[in-house]
Amino acid sequence: MTGYSTDAHKEIFSISIFENLERHEFEGHMLLVPIEYDKILKSKYGDYMKLPPKESRKTRHNLDEFSIRN
């Protein structure tokens, strides 16, 4: 799995974190997500369940390319 981002230092995880998956519903779709999704999200976004103050809200999506290869 590879991804290119200007925020790459927050996106380096051992491949083993993606080996154990579970199904979760998201916007009407059942998706396979890593069992340790909370660890991944906290590393990337901090307290991702709490909205920042309105004046601080901005997109953090700066991914230029994402690909999965076998």
Side-chain angles (χ1 to χ4, degrees), residues 19-59:
E19 290 175 347
N20 297 311
L21 305 174
E22 59 189 11
R23 293 188 181 277
H24 282 273
E25 184 179 351
F26 180 74
E27 296 187 355
H29 301 277
M30 291 303 292
L31 304 172
L32 288 172
V33 299
I35 287 176
E36 296 188 61
Y37 67 88
D38 185 66
K39 183 177 184 178
I40 297 167
L41 293 172
K42 282 182 179 172
S43 173
K44 175 72 177 163
Y45 301 109
D47 187 358
Y48 66 93
M49 296 299 286
K50 181 180 175 189
L51 286 173
K54 219 171 196 176
E55 61 275 2
S56 300
R57 294 178 195 173
K58 62 181 181 177
T59 184

Side-chain angles (χ1 to χ4, degrees), residues 2-25:
T2 60
Y4 300 96
S5 170
T6 57
D7 223 6
H9 67 281
K10 292 184 177 181
E11 298 178 13
I12 299 172
F13 300 98
S14 168
I15 192 68
S16 65
I17 204 168
F18 299 98
E19 290 175 347
N20 297 311
L21 305 174
E22 59 189 11
R23 293 188 181 277
H24 282 273
E25 184 179 351

